[in-house]
Amino acid sequence: MFGNIMEMMGKLQAVQGNFEELKNRLESESFTETSSDGTISITMSELATIKDIKIASGLLADKEQLEDTLVVTLNKALEKVKKNAMEEAKKTAKDSLPAIPGLNF
């Protein structure tokens, strides 16, 4: 009985370590999302930390357009982050946890 508990605890610690590695990897990886008109590009980590924003010089005169373009471009980038993070978490869980009936990844 205690052997099974100790084995399970060891597996849980391994899973925790795998998720910590995933977190560190996603924070170190980045991508750039560019607005559809090419005037703004945003670089962020795969965990949604904004690393850089570049704005075309012509946009500085039009505050409302700049604000709108930033919102749209940031939301596109965040959608990518969410999708990728969920896929990576599912993969990590599937690779780390034993097969549990009824638990599908």
XYZ file of all heavy atoms in Angstrom:
801
model
N 0.824 -1.196 0.000
C 0.000 0.000 0.000
C 0.863 1.253 0.000
O 0.656 2.152 -0.789
C -0.924 -0.017 1.212
C -1.765 1.225 1.304
S -2.917 1.071 2.661
C -3.402 2.745 2.802
N 1.843 1.316 0.912
C 2.686 2.503 0.977
C 3.562 2.624 -0.252
O 3.907 3.721 -0.665
C 3.529 2.502 2.254
C 2.725 2.777 3.487
C 2.552 1.801 4.450
C 2.121 4.003 3.668
C 1.808 2.040 5.576
C 1.369 4.267 4.798
C 1.206 3.279 5.760
N 3.916 1.487 -0.840
C 4.702 1.512 -2.066
C 3.956 2.212 -3.184
O 4.522 3.004 -3.926
N 2.653 1.928 -3.306
C 1.835 2.582 -4.339
C 1.720 4.077 -4.097
O 1.757 4.872 -5.024
C 0.443 1.961 -4.401
C 0.468 0.573 -5.012
O 1.423 0.213 -5.692
N -0.566 -0.198 -4.753
N 1.563 4.461 -2.838
C 1.463 5.887 -2.499
C 2.776 6.591 -2.824
O 2.781 7.668 -3.411
C 1.086 6.080 -1.016
C -0.355 5.609 -0.794
C 1.233 7.541 -0.604
C -0.788 5.596 0.647
N 3.886 5.988 -2.476
C 5.186 6.595 -2.733
C 5.440 6.686 -4.247
O 5.972 7.676 -4.725
C 6.303 5.798 -2.053
C 6.218 5.828 -0.528
S 6.146 7.507 0.135
C 7.822 8.020 -0.149
N 5.037 5.648 -4.959
C 5.191 5.665 -6.416
C 4.348 6.780 -7.025
O 4.810 7.521 -7.898
C 4.773 4.312 -7.003
C 4.956 4.215 -8.493
C 4.540 2.853 -9.034
O 4.569 1.856 -8.289
O 4.170 2.807 -10.225
N 3.105 6.924 -6.538
C 2.221 7.963 -7.035
C 2.787 9.351 -6.717
O 2.756 10.248 -7.554
C 0.822 7.827 -6.435
C -0.184 8.780 -7.063
S -1.837 8.699 -6.355
C -2.196 6.970 -6.446
N 3.323 9.526 -5.527
C 3.921 10.811 -5.147
C 5.097 11.143 -6.066
O 5.272 12.283 -6.481
C 4.372 10.791 -3.687
C 3.231 10.721 -2.693
S 2.203 12.185 -2.741
C 3.294 13.331 -1.930
N 5.902 10.148 -6.377
C 7.025 10.350 -7.278
C 6.556 10.774 -8.661
O 7.141 11.666 -9.287
N 5.484 10.143 -9.145
C 4.937 10.502 -10.454
C 4.380 11.917 -10.451
O 4.564 12.666 -11.410
C 3.864 9.507 -10.881
C 4.422 8.163 -11.303
C 3.339 7.222 -11.739
C 3.945 5.870 -12.115
N 2.922 4.923 -12.547
N 3.708 12.285 -9.356
C 3.162 13.641 -9.262
C 4.272 14.684 -9.250
O 4.151 15.744 -9.872
C 2.279 13.786 -8.023
C 0.938 13.066 -8.087
C 0.210 13.165 -6.755
C 0.077 13.623 -9.207
N 5.368 14.382 -8.571
C 6.497 15.306 -8.567
C 7.103 15.411 -9.964
O 7.510 16.493 -10.389
C 7.555 14.868 -7.556
C 7.126 15.117 -6.124
C 8.136 14.599 -5.113
O 8.912 13.704 -5.401
N 8.106 15.178 -3.916
N 7.153 14.312 -10.684
C 7.671 14.340 -12.053
C 6.768 15.176 -12.947
O 7.253 15.958 -13.775
C 7.791 12.916 -12.601
N 5.460 15.032 -12.789
C 4.503 15.824 -13.569
C 4.692 17.310 -13.256
O 4.734 18.151 -14.165
C 3.046 15.385 -13.287
C 2.052 16.368 -13.885
C 2.798 13.987 -13.819
N 4.833 17.628 -11.982
C 5.041 19.021 -11.584
C 6.322 19.567 -12.229
O 6.338 20.686 -12.747
C 5.127 19.134 -10.064
C 5.269 20.550 -9.568
C 5.319 20.626 -8.057
O 5.468 19.612 -7.371
N 5.199 21.808 -7.528
N 7.361 18.783 -12.230
C 8.613 19.187 -12.866
C 8.445 19.393 -14.363
O 8.988 20.353 -14.928
N 7.675 18.508 -15.010
C 7.431 18.647 -16.447
C 6.680 19.932 -16.768
O 6.978 20.615 -17.752
C 6.656 17.446 -16.984
C 7.482 16.185 -17.002
O 8.702 16.222 -16.912
N 6.822 15.047 -17.095
N 5.698 20.294 -15.938
C 4.957 21.527 -16.170
C 5.818 22.754 -15.891
O 5.686 23.776 -16.567
C 3.658 21.558 -15.359
C 2.523 20.857 -16.063
C 2.161 19.582 -15.708
C 1.841 21.481 -17.099
C 1.131 18.916 -16.372
C 0.823 20.831 -17.768
C 0.452 19.547 -17.399
N 6.710 22.667 -14.931
C 7.633 23.772 -14.665
C 8.572 23.964 -15.859
O 8.833 25.097 -16.277
C 8.430 23.503 -13.392
C 9.298 24.666 -12.956
C 8.522 25.905 -12.545
O 7.374 25.796 -12.089
O 9.076 27.012 -12.711
N 9.065 22.870 -16.428
C 9.903 22.953 -17.633
C 9.123 23.560 -18.794
O 9.660 24.378 -19.543
C 10.411 21.563 -18.023
C 11.479 21.009 -17.113
C 11.868 19.581 -17.474
O 11.640 19.153 -18.626
O 12.396 18.892 -16.584
N 7.861 23.168 -18.941
C 7.015 23.721 -19.996
C 6.865 25.225 -19.809
O 7.020 25.999 -20.763
C 5.640 23.044 -20.002
C 4.593 23.648 -20.941
C 5.038 23.563 -22.388
C 3.253 22.965 -20.725
N 6.587 25.652 -18.601
C 6.438 27.083 -18.304
C 7.711 27.844 -18.677
O 7.650 28.885 -19.343
C 6.115 27.284 -16.831
C 6.003 28.725 -16.430
C 5.783 28.846 -14.922
C 6.055 30.252 -14.493
N 6.993 30.401 -13.442
N 8.853 27.336 -18.274
C 10.121 28.000 -18.569
C 10.378 28.051 -20.071
O 10.834 29.068 -20.596
C 11.280 27.301 -17.859
C 11.217 27.472 -16.360
O 10.617 28.411 -15.853
N 11.813 26.548 -15.638
N 10.061 26.968 -20.771
C 10.272 26.929 -22.217
C 9.365 27.927 -22.930
O 9.807 28.690 -23.798
C 10.037 25.521 -22.760
C 10.293 25.409 -24.262
C 10.260 23.982 -24.758
N 9.066 23.246 -24.428
C 7.927 23.313 -25.120
N 7.835 24.091 -26.181
N 6.883 22.595 -24.777
N 8.084 27.967 -22.537
C 7.145 28.884 -23.185
C 7.506 30.340 -22.906
O 7.309 31.210 -23.752
C 5.711 28.594 -22.747
C 5.115 27.276 -23.247
C 3.719 27.085 -22.675
C 5.098 27.215 -24.759
N 8.042 30.627 -21.733
C 8.430 32.001 -21.422
C 9.659 32.414 -22.221
O 9.816 33.585 -22.564
C 8.691 32.166 -19.924
C 8.915 33.603 -19.498
C 7.771 34.559 -19.842
O 6.603 34.218 -19.627
O 8.068 35.658 -20.350
N 10.515 31.468 -22.561
C 11.727 31.820 -23.304
C 11.492 31.877 -24.814
O 12.285 32.479 -25.537
C 12.849 30.829 -22.989
O 12.553 29.558 -23.516
N 10.421 31.284 -25.310
C 10.113 31.313 -26.736
C 9.235 32.525 -27.051
O 8.379 32.895 -26.255
C 9.384 30.040 -27.155
C 10.245 28.801 -27.039
C 9.490 27.518 -27.356
O 8.288 27.574 -27.684
O 10.117 26.454 -27.265
N 9.465 33.146 -28.199
C 8.649 34.303 -28.552
C 8.252 34.240 -30.024
O 8.797 33.459 -30.800
C 9.408 35.599 -28.262
O 10.583 35.678 -29.033
N 7.276 35.062 -30.381
C 6.819 35.182 -31.753
C 6.401 36.627 -31.981
O 6.228 37.388 -31.031
C 5.653 34.221 -32.044
C 4.390 34.597 -31.330
C 3.415 35.347 -31.975
C 4.177 34.211 -30.020
C 2.252 35.709 -31.305
C 3.019 34.562 -29.348
C 2.054 35.313 -29.996
N 6.268 36.994 -33.242
C 5.863 38.357 -33.593
C 4.565 38.305 -34.380
O 4.430 37.531 -35.324
C 6.967 39.047 -34.428
O 8.166 39.083 -33.646
C 6.565 40.462 -34.802
N 3.617 39.125 -33.961
C 2.341 39.271 -34.662
C 2.343 40.669 -35.287
O 2.654 41.648 -34.622
C 1.175 39.135 -33.685
C -0.188 39.216 -34.322
C -0.467 38.041 -35.245
O -0.120 36.898 -34.890
O -1.040 38.271 -36.316
N 1.996 40.741 -36.578
C 1.983 42.016 -37.293
C 0.559 42.339 -37.707
O -0.192 41.452 -38.122
C 2.895 41.935 -38.540
O 4.208 41.582 -38.110
C 2.950 43.262 -39.268
N 0.189 43.614 -37.567
C -1.160 44.034 -37.955
C -1.372 43.791 -39.439
O -0.417 43.698 -40.218
C -1.363 45.518 -37.625
O -0.469 46.321 -38.370
N -2.629 43.696 -39.837
C -2.938 43.372 -41.235
C -2.403 44.424 -42.211
O -2.071 44.091 -43.341
C -4.448 43.195 -41.415
O -5.121 44.388 -41.059
N -2.284 45.663 -41.764
C -1.756 46.698 -42.658
C -0.244 46.877 -42.518
O 0.353 47.723 -43.170
C -2.477 48.027 -42.437
C -2.305 48.574 -41.031
O -1.582 47.962 -40.216
O -2.892 49.640 -40.741
N 0.387 46.087 -41.650
C 1.833 46.122 -41.501
C 2.381 47.289 -40.697
O 3.591 47.481 -40.625
N 1.520 48.064 -40.044
C 1.984 49.260 -39.344
C 2.429 49.000 -37.908
O 3.152 49.799 -37.337
C 0.884 50.338 -39.329
O -0.288 49.793 -38.724
C 0.569 50.821 -40.739
N 1.992 47.895 -37.335
C 2.356 47.568 -35.955
C 2.789 46.118 -35.887
O 2.148 45.241 -36.461
C 1.173 47.797 -34.989
C 0.838 49.281 -34.907
C 1.473 47.243 -33.603
C -0.335 49.602 -34.020
N 3.879 45.874 -35.163
C 4.264 44.488 -34.881
C 4.526 44.367 -33.387
O 5.093 45.268 -32.762
C 5.483 44.060 -35.697
O 6.614 44.798 -35.336
N 4.064 43.266 -32.843
C 4.175 43.013 -31.408
C 4.891 41.684 -31.233
O 4.497 40.673 -31.808
C 2.787 42.954 -30.746
C 2.080 44.301 -30.907
C 2.891 42.536 -29.284
C 0.619 44.291 -30.567
N 5.945 41.703 -30.426
C 6.665 40.474 -30.099
C 6.340 40.127 -28.660
O 6.440 40.974 -27.771
C 8.186 40.670 -30.279
O 8.435 41.052 -31.647
C 8.939 39.388 -29.970
N 5.921 38.882 -28.446
C 5.597 38.449 -27.087
C 6.041 37.016 -26.878
O 6.249 36.267 -27.826
C 4.105 38.621 -26.778
C 3.165 37.816 -27.589
S 1.371 38.066 -27.256
C 1.248 39.284 -26.012
N 6.200 36.682 -25.595
C 6.559 35.313 -25.261
C 5.349 34.422 -25.451
O 4.219 34.899 -25.550
C 7.049 35.219 -23.812
O 5.958 35.261 -22.915
N 5.579 33.120 -25.487
C 4.485 32.158 -25.611
C 3.635 32.108 -24.343
O 2.613 31.441 -24.316
C 5.031 30.763 -25.940
C 5.649 30.655 -27.321
C 4.619 30.601 -28.439
O 3.417 30.471 -28.171
O 5.043 30.696 -29.597
N 4.052 32.851 -23.301
C 3.235 32.972 -22.088
C 2.668 34.381 -21.936
O 2.349 34.817 -20.844
C 4.042 32.603 -20.841
C 4.144 31.126 -20.545
C 4.935 30.887 -19.264
C 2.785 30.461 -20.430
N 2.580 35.111 -23.041
C 1.896 36.402 -23.118
C 2.626 37.556 -22.439
O 2.001 38.514 -22.023
C 0.466 36.296 -22.600
N 3.939 37.508 -22.343
C 4.701 38.656 -21.880
C 5.113 39.452 -23.108
O 5.773 38.921 -24.001
C 5.961 38.204 -21.113
O 5.560 37.393 -20.011
C 6.762 39.394 -20.621
N 4.697 40.711 -23.161
C 5.040 41.545 -24.309
C 6.517 41.909 -24.216
O 6.985 42.432 -23.213
C 4.161 42.805 -24.371
C 2.706 42.399 -24.586
C 4.639 43.746 -25.468
C 1.719 43.526 -24.508
N 7.253 41.597 -25.273
C 8.690 41.854 -25.323
C 9.010 43.130 -26.090
O 9.963 43.825 -25.765
C 9.420 40.675 -25.991
C 9.188 39.329 -25.333
C 9.897 39.247 -24.026
C 9.808 37.821 -23.470
N 10.499 37.679 -22.231
N 8.229 43.440 -27.141
C 8.534 44.590 -27.978
C 7.305 44.989 -28.783
O 6.497 44.135 -29.159
C 9.679 44.228 -28.943
C 10.201 45.428 -29.717
O 10.281 46.524 -29.136
O 10.530 45.257 -30.903
N 7.147 46.287 -29.030
C 6.112 46.809 -29.916
C 6.791 47.776 -30.871
O 7.515 48.674 -30.435
C 4.991 47.543 -29.137
C 4.264 46.576 -28.209
C 4.018 48.205 -30.114
C 3.207 47.234 -27.341
N 6.576 47.565 -32.157
C 7.119 48.464 -33.182
C 5.947 49.107 -33.916
O 5.003 48.419 -34.314
C 8.003 47.706 -34.157
C 9.249 47.184 -33.481
C 10.248 46.673 -34.467
C 11.358 46.144 -33.645
N 12.542 45.940 -33.824
N 6.046 50.443 -34.093
C 4.978 51.211 -34.718
C 5.568 51.985 -35.894
O 6.591 52.664 -35.748
C 4.357 52.199 -33.706
C 3.802 51.418 -32.506
C 3.279 53.040 -34.362
C 3.404 52.283 -31.332
N 4.907 51.885 -37.048
C 5.351 52.644 -38.218
C 5.252 54.132 -37.913
O 4.301 54.589 -37.269
C 4.489 52.281 -39.426
N 6.213 54.891 -38.356
C 6.276 56.316 -38.014
C 5.047 57.093 -38.474
O 4.621 58.030 -37.817
C 7.545 56.950 -38.577
O 7.580 56.797 -39.979
N 4.419 56.733 -39.566
C 3.235 57.438 -40.056
C 2.025 57.308 -39.147
O 1.104 58.114 -39.209
N 2.000 56.288 -38.291
C 0.853 56.069 -37.413
C 0.833 56.996 -36.213
O -0.192 57.171 -35.578
C 0.856 54.625 -36.896
C -0.081 53.647 -37.555
C -0.018 52.301 -36.880
C -1.499 54.120 -37.605
N 1.940 57.575 -35.875
C 2.021 58.391 -34.670
C 1.094 59.593 -34.715
O 0.681 60.110 -33.683
C 3.465 58.827 -34.417
C 4.434 57.671 -34.153
C 5.848 58.196 -33.974
C 4.019 56.875 -32.942
N 0.727 60.058 -35.891
C -0.139 61.222 -36.014
C -1.609 60.872 -35.778
O -2.403 61.748 -35.446
C 0.031 61.854 -37.393
N -1.989 59.610 -35.945
C -3.392 59.213 -35.825
C -3.595 58.354 -34.586
O -3.512 57.125 -34.628
C -3.809 58.458 -37.088
C -5.312 58.225 -37.153
O -6.001 58.435 -36.130
O -5.786 57.827 -38.223
N -3.860 58.990 -33.455
C -3.978 58.324 -32.157
C -5.071 57.251 -32.152
O -4.859 56.140 -31.672
C -4.253 59.360 -31.074
C -4.376 58.792 -29.679
C -4.688 59.911 -28.694
C -4.865 59.431 -27.290
N -6.024 58.602 -27.053
N -6.235 57.551 -32.674
C -7.340 56.584 -32.655
C -7.022 55.346 -33.485
O -7.302 54.222 -33.064
C -8.626 57.236 -33.144
C -9.238 58.168 -32.120
C -10.573 58.726 -32.579
O -11.308 58.027 -33.302
O -10.871 59.866 -32.209
N -6.438 55.543 -34.654
C -6.071 54.403 -35.486
C -5.015 53.560 -34.782
O -5.078 52.333 -34.803
C -5.552 54.854 -36.848
C -5.194 53.674 -37.744
C -4.575 54.085 -39.069
O -4.427 55.270 -39.356
N -4.212 53.108 -39.868
N -4.060 54.214 -34.148
C -3.018 53.501 -33.412
C -3.622 52.645 -32.301
O -3.303 51.471 -32.165
C -2.008 54.494 -32.830
C -0.934 53.916 -31.921
C -0.067 52.909 -32.657
C -0.074 55.041 -31.355
N -4.527 53.233 -31.530
C -5.175 52.492 -30.445
C -5.953 51.292 -30.976
O -5.846 50.178 -30.442
C -6.108 53.422 -29.658
C -5.360 54.465 -28.862
C -6.264 55.547 -28.305
O -7.432 55.673 -28.740
O -5.795 56.284 -27.426
N -6.720 51.499 -32.032
C -7.512 50.409 -32.609
C -6.616 49.295 -33.146
O -6.881 48.103 -32.929
C -8.418 50.928 -33.732
C -9.542 51.817 -33.228
O -9.807 51.812 -32.006
O -10.141 52.518 -34.066
N -5.564 49.671 -33.846
C -4.662 48.681 -34.429
C -3.941 47.900 -33.333
O -3.751 46.683 -33.446
C -3.657 49.347 -35.387
O -4.380 50.089 -36.362
C -2.796 48.320 -36.088
N -3.540 48.575 -32.266
C -2.895 47.887 -31.144
C -3.831 46.862 -30.518
O -3.420 45.727 -30.235
C -2.451 48.893 -30.073
C -1.077 49.489 -30.241
C -0.859 50.631 -29.261
C -0.009 48.427 -30.042
N -5.074 47.237 -30.284
C -6.037 46.318 -29.673
C -6.219 45.071 -30.540
O -6.149 43.933 -30.051
C -7.396 47.021 -29.428
C -8.483 46.010 -29.093
C -7.269 48.042 -28.312
N -6.438 45.264 -31.833
C -6.668 44.132 -32.729
C -5.436 43.231 -32.788
O -5.534 42.002 -32.691
C -7.061 44.629 -34.141
C -7.034 43.495 -35.149
C -8.425 45.293 -34.107
N -4.257 43.832 -32.926
C -3.029 43.048 -33.058
C -2.698 42.315 -31.769
O -2.298 41.143 -31.786
C -1.861 43.954 -33.499
O -2.254 44.675 -34.673
C -0.616 43.139 -33.815
N -2.864 42.971 -30.622
C -2.631 42.296 -29.334
C -3.588 41.132 -29.143
O -3.190 40.058 -28.675
C -2.768 43.283 -28.172
C -1.547 44.140 -27.890
C -1.897 45.294 -26.961
C -0.441 43.292 -27.275
N -4.844 41.321 -29.487
C -5.806 40.224 -29.331
C -5.473 39.042 -30.226
O -5.618 37.887 -29.823
C -7.236 40.719 -29.585
C -7.786 41.473 -28.396
O -7.419 41.210 -27.250
N -8.644 42.429 -28.657
N -5.001 39.297 -31.453
C -4.579 38.204 -32.328
C -3.401 37.454 -31.715
O -3.365 36.223 -31.720
C -4.198 38.745 -33.706
C -5.371 39.092 -34.586
C -4.994 39.752 -35.910
C -3.833 39.168 -36.625
N -3.512 39.860 -37.898
N -2.448 38.198 -31.172
C -1.279 37.569 -30.553
C -1.680 36.759 -29.324
O -1.214 35.632 -29.127
C -0.247 38.633 -30.178
N -2.555 37.301 -28.499
C -2.992 36.586 -27.294
C -3.777 35.327 -27.641
O -3.680 34.312 -26.940
C -3.815 37.513 -26.397
C -3.010 38.609 -25.712
C -3.931 39.619 -25.051
C -2.044 38.009 -24.692
N -4.536 35.360 -28.712
C -5.273 34.168 -29.144
C -4.294 33.051 -29.513
O -4.507 31.886 -29.180
C -6.190 34.516 -30.316
C -7.224 33.468 -30.599
C -8.152 33.194 -29.428
O -8.533 34.131 -28.710
O -8.482 32.005 -29.215
N -3.195 33.404 -30.181
C -2.170 32.412 -30.504
C -1.549 31.833 -29.241
O -1.297 30.636 -29.152
C -1.081 33.037 -31.374
C -1.454 33.220 -32.800
C -0.274 33.742 -33.599
C -0.643 33.912 -35.052
N 0.482 34.430 -35.841
N -1.285 32.701 -28.273
C -0.693 32.249 -27.008
C -1.610 31.245 -26.321
O -1.177 30.175 -25.889
C -0.419 33.445 -26.061
C -0.119 32.977 -24.649
C 0.726 34.286 -26.597
N -2.887 31.573 -26.214
C -3.846 30.680 -25.550
C -3.899 29.322 -26.240
O -3.864 28.277 -25.587
C -5.244 31.296 -25.532
C -5.410 32.424 -24.555
C -6.866 32.837 -24.515
C -7.008 34.250 -24.990
N -8.390 34.725 -24.993
N -4.006 29.347 -27.556
C -4.117 28.097 -28.312
C -2.864 27.237 -28.125
O -2.958 26.042 -27.835
C -4.332 28.399 -29.792
C -4.483 27.169 -30.649
C -4.685 27.535 -32.102
C -4.751 26.274 -32.944
N -4.730 26.553 -34.366
N -1.697 27.833 -28.262
C -0.447 27.088 -28.135
C -0.253 26.571 -26.710
O 0.156 25.426 -26.507
C 0.745 27.944 -28.559
C 2.019 27.146 -28.587
O 2.090 26.096 -29.204
N 3.028 27.631 -27.890
N -0.558 27.401 -25.710
C -0.381 26.983 -24.316
C -1.278 25.787 -23.987
O -0.847 24.850 -23.306
C -0.666 28.142 -23.369
N -2.512 25.797 -24.483
C -3.415 24.674 -24.224
C -2.908 23.395 -24.889
O -2.932 22.326 -24.287
C -4.831 24.995 -24.718
C -5.556 26.017 -23.880
S -5.724 25.519 -22.147
C -6.809 24.134 -22.305
N -2.438 23.513 -26.111
C -1.914 22.338 -26.815
C -0.690 21.778 -26.098
O -0.557 20.566 -25.925
C -1.573 22.700 -28.262
C -2.791 22.937 -29.127
C -2.450 23.476 -30.511
O -1.256 23.580 -30.864
O -3.394 23.806 -31.249
N 0.202 22.661 -25.659
C 1.409 22.221 -24.967
C 1.071 21.604 -23.611
O 1.673 20.603 -23.204
C 2.381 23.388 -24.790
C 3.002 23.870 -26.086
C 3.984 22.879 -26.681
O 4.569 22.060 -25.957
O 4.168 22.925 -27.917
N 0.113 22.183 -22.893
C -0.288 21.628 -21.599
C -0.909 20.245 -21.765
O -0.625 19.323 -20.988
C -1.265 22.575 -20.899
N -1.752 20.076 -22.774
C -2.352 18.768 -23.029
C -1.277 17.735 -23.354
O -1.314 16.608 -22.850
C -3.347 18.847 -24.190
C -4.650 19.494 -23.841
C -5.562 19.544 -25.059
C -6.845 20.264 -24.781
N -7.705 20.338 -25.973
N -0.319 18.123 -24.177
C 0.759 17.208 -24.556
C 1.592 16.831 -23.332
O 1.908 15.660 -23.129
C 1.643 17.856 -25.617
C 2.761 16.963 -26.112
C 3.610 17.680 -27.157
C 4.731 16.831 -27.682
N 5.672 16.382 -26.695
N 1.913 17.818 -22.512
C 2.709 17.548 -21.305
C 1.946 16.633 -20.361
O 2.515 15.685 -19.810
C 3.082 18.862 -20.600
O 3.870 19.647 -21.497
C 3.881 18.607 -19.329
N 0.662 16.873 -20.175
C -0.143 16.026 -19.298
C -0.223 14.606 -19.851
O -0.067 13.632 -19.103
C -1.541 16.605 -19.135
N -0.451 14.492 -21.141
C -0.560 13.166 -21.761
C 0.746 12.393 -21.618
O 0.749 11.202 -21.325
C -0.924 13.314 -23.239
C -1.127 12.009 -23.950
C -1.535 12.233 -25.400
C -1.741 10.910 -26.104
N -2.113 11.096 -27.505
N 1.869 13.084 -21.818
C 3.172 12.434 -21.726
C 3.576 12.125 -20.282
O 4.388 11.235 -20.044
C 4.261 13.312 -22.371
C 4.082 13.440 -23.878
O 3.302 12.664 -24.461
O 4.717 14.335 -24.455
N 3.017 12.859 -19.324
C 3.455 12.742 -17.935
C 2.580 11.841 -17.074
O 3.067 11.227 -16.135
C 3.489 14.127 -17.284
O 4.370 14.986 -17.956
N 1.296 11.815 -17.353
C 0.368 11.071 -16.494
C 0.114 9.672 -17.035
O 0.127 9.464 -18.246
C -0.969 11.832 -16.417
C -0.918 13.194 -15.740
C -2.260 13.896 -15.911
C -0.596 13.054 -14.260
N -0.130 8.746 -16.146
C -0.495 7.409 -16.611
C -1.886 7.438 -17.237
O -2.655 8.366 -17.025
C -0.509 6.579 -15.313
C -0.737 7.556 -14.237
C -0.126 8.859 -14.696
N -2.193 6.437 -18.021
C -3.514 6.362 -18.661
C -4.579 6.202 -17.579
O -4.529 5.298 -16.760
C -3.551 5.181 -19.616
N -5.534 7.141 -17.568
C -6.615 7.114 -16.606
C -7.919 6.970 -17.407
O -8.211 7.807 -18.256
C -6.658 8.411 -15.764
C -5.330 8.565 -15.001
C -7.841 8.418 -14.815
C -5.170 9.903 -14.304
N -8.678 5.905 -17.154
C -9.918 5.707 -17.897
C -10.845 6.916 -17.791
O -11.022 7.480 -16.719
C -10.555 4.485 -17.226
C -9.422 3.780 -16.583
C -8.449 4.859 -16.166
N -11.365 7.350 -18.923
C -12.294 8.477 -18.958
C -11.614 9.825 -19.058
O -12.267 10.846 -19.244
N -10.293 9.875 -18.919
C -9.551 11.134 -19.008
C -8.848 11.169 -20.364
O -7.846 10.504 -20.570
C -8.524 11.241 -17.875
C -7.762 12.549 -17.761
C -8.719 13.714 -17.516
C -6.747 12.458 -16.617
N -9.433 11.928 -21.274
C -8.891 11.994 -22.625
C -8.230 13.329 -22.859
O -8.768 14.373 -22.515
C -10.017 11.813 -23.659
C -10.661 10.456 -23.535
O -9.987 9.459 -23.289
N -11.968 10.417 -23.696
N -7.054 13.303 -23.475
C -6.329 14.536 -23.824
C -6.298 14.695 -25.309
O -6.138 13.878 -26.084
C -4.906 14.533 -23.267
C -4.847 14.586 -21.789
C -4.469 13.474 -21.045
C -5.163 15.746 -21.118
C -4.411 13.534 -19.678
C -5.098 15.807 -19.742
C -4.723 14.703 -19.023
